[in-house]
Amino acid sequence: MQNNFPFDEAQADSDHLQAWLRLAFADGIGPVAARRLLAVFGLPGQIWQADFSALCAVLPPRQAATLLAPPTGRQRERMEATLEWLQLPGRAIITLADAAYPASLLNIADPPLLLYVRGNAGLLCAPALAVVGSRHATTQGREHAMRFSEELSHAGLTVVSGLALGIDAAAHEGGLRGAGSTVAVIGTGCDIDYPPRNRDLAERIAQGGCIVSEYALGTPPLSANFPRRNRVISGLAQAVLVVEAAARSGSLITARMAAEQGRDVFAIPGSIHAPLSKGCHQLIRQGAKLVETTQDILEELPQRQAVAGTAPTVVASALVAAGAMGDVDPASLQVMRAMGHDPVDVDTLAQRCGLDAAALAAILLGLELQGRVEVLPGAHYRCVA
């Protein structure tokens, strides 16, 4: 018999998405239980066609009864608010069953059911490298993150990071400068700007890159969500680069997850005296690949080469950098050379230079204002690349 009713594709898509949202918002049904239901019944719409006994074969009776109950008023409000958010330009929700879902995430142990997206969702499927590190990064660390990310982006790789302060923010800035752009994986709802200091950066990423979250709209910055989102950062990438990390750092969680997912892990070495180098050195001892240039990374990734004419970033030696600075006066150059590679206190530096305290203090202040040296905790100084 011929169907006399036209097929409303838009309504079908809306019903399909509402079924996914109903599953995601169901009380007491976490991601593990949801994936178990999908494995047995298929798409979410088919779950509510099952009877109570069939659901009890997958879930405890109380969860099955909750799932079969009509959506609560609160759940309906959340679904309506989400569908309204989707009407804004540059918004999307990608379900686990969509063709646009990143294949790289399908291969991790616990892929998100839904991906809430602001910006260019196509970047989620592009060849990518994650760049992560400390929120309390040094000036030199931020510079490394930005320069490495810019060159990797020019080489066609999308830079993935977590929109945190410090290394993450610098990585996104660098990624935005190249053709590969950047993806920010956040631990809140896509309608929340966190941290507030990165609000302007987030807006620029939404315009020129992509912001993605597995968390529903309105989800606040809960501490437990950030380590969990790290598996998505590493999952979207071919490899992970750790720029700076303390011995106990969230970046090491990302690196561990990357290794578990079969991704390469790269780390930039630093001074043996620097606390933010200890995490990188620990990773290198555990088998991470030490890198000094972007070319070290690109050579390890299949079919990836640096763009012609782009000079690889070298992890800058302060001594070499100082020698190349023709505009530095001789006294300042002497101080920078005396610093060497590692942080040094004022007394030791004065002895190396043969300068009195007043003269050295004046030179250090000038170098600091020029951005050539930075002051570290404990009144130690270090050259900046």
Side-chain angles (χ1 to χ4, degrees):
M1 179 183 297
Q2 184 176 358
N3 189 344
N4 294 322
F5 297 96
F7 176 69
D8 189 335
E9 184 176 356
Q11 184 60 46
D13 289 343
S14 177
D15 292 344
H16 171 77
L17 180 56
Q18 287 189 59
W20 278 95
L21 291 174
R22 182 180 175 184
L23 177 61
F25 297 160
D27 293 330
I29 306 296
V32 175
R35 284 194 297 270
R36 196 159 60 238
L37 287 165
L38 292 171
V40 173
F41 298 106
L43 294 175
Q46 297 171 302
I47 295 173
W48 285 281
Q49 296 177 10
D51 58 25
F52 180 72
S53 60
L55 289 175
C56 285
V58 183
L59 299 174
R62 179 176 295 181
Q63 281 184 308
T66 301
L67 192 63
L68 287 176
T72 65
R74 172 59 178 154
Q75 289 166 345
R76 290 186 183 279
E77 288 177 5
R78 294 179 73 190
M79 284 191 281
E80 290 171 4
T82 302
L83 294 174
E84 184 176 346
W85 176 82
L86 272 177
Q87 302 309 307
L88 297 171
R91 268 57 169 181
I93 294 179
I94 302 173
T95 76
L96 193 58
D98 289 343
Y101 195 94
S104 58
L105 284 187
L106 290 174
N107 296 324
I108 69 174
D110 49 352
L113 292 181
L114 302 175
L115 296 173
Y116 298 79
V117 179
R118 288 177 60 195
N120 181 5
L123 290 174
L124 299 176
C125 298
L129 186 130
V131 179
V132 298
S134 174
R135 288 175 171 81
H136 307 289
T138 65
T139 302
Q140 193 170 49
R142 291 192 298 272
E143 183 69 16
H144 289 335
M146 187 177 297
R147 290 187 178 179
F148 267 76
S149 297
E150 182 177 357
E151 290 182 8
L152 292 166
S153 183
H154 280 304
L157 289 170
T158 298
V159 176
V160 181
S161 199
L163 198 57
L165 300 175
I167 296 299
D168 288 17
H172 290 307
E173 292 280 7
L176 285 172
R177 297 179 182 180
S181 193
T182 189
V183 169
V185 183
I186 61 176
T188 66
C190 255
D191 56 336
I192 292 178
D193 292 319
Y194 183 84
R197 282 169 55 187
N198 280 349
R199 182 176 289 113
D200 174 69
L201 174 60
E203 186 59 33
R204 286 188 287 121
I205 294 172
Q207 294 297 320
C210 176
I211 297 176
V212 62
S213 175
E214 66 180 300
Y215 298 107
L217 301 181
T219 301
L222 304 174
S223 58
N225 289 351
F226 291 92
R228 180 165 173 76
R229 67 88 198 261
N230 289 352
R231 82 194 193 287
V232 179
I233 294 176
S234 58
L236 286 171
Q238 294 176 264
V240 172
L241 169 65
V242 182
V243 178
E244 280 186 334
R248 295 183 179 181
S249 167
S251 302
L252 302 188
I253 297 176
T254 307
R256 174 177 57 78
M257 291 178 171
E260 292 172 352
Q261 294 165 353
R263 274 61 168 170
D264 287 330
V265 178
F266 302 100
I268 296 178
S271 167
I272 61 172
H273 303 292
L276 293 181
S277 295
K278 294 188 180 300
C280 292
H281 294 171
Q282 177 181 328
L283 290 173
I284 293 169
R285 286 195 298 270
Q286 293 171 350
K289 297 168 184 174
L290 184 154
V291 297
E292 295 178 317
T293 70
T294 51
Q295 196 63 37
D296 294 335
I297 297 172
L298 295 170
E299 288 173 353
E300 294 288 335
L301 301 181
Q303 300 178 344
R304 289 287 133 196
Q305 294 182 352
V307 172
T310 300
T313 296
V314 176
V315 178
S317 156
L319 190 58
V320 173
M325 295 175 180
D327 58 337
V328 180
D329 64 88
S332 296
L333 186 57
Q334 177 192 9
V335 171
M336 294 178 73
R337 284 176 170 159
M339 281 186 187
H341 300 271
D342 297 334
V344 60
D345 62 88
V346 175
D347 291 338
T348 301
L349 191 56
Q351 291 176 1
R352 292 178 183 175
C353 299
L355 296 172
D356 61 49
L360 179 58
I363 292 172
L364 288 173
L365 178 59
L367 289 171
E368 184 182 355
L369 292 174
Q370 295 171 27
R372 300 192 192 282
V373 303
E374 64 178 333
V375 184
L376 301 176
H380 282 63
Y381 287 80
R382 178 169 63 182
C383 281
V384 176

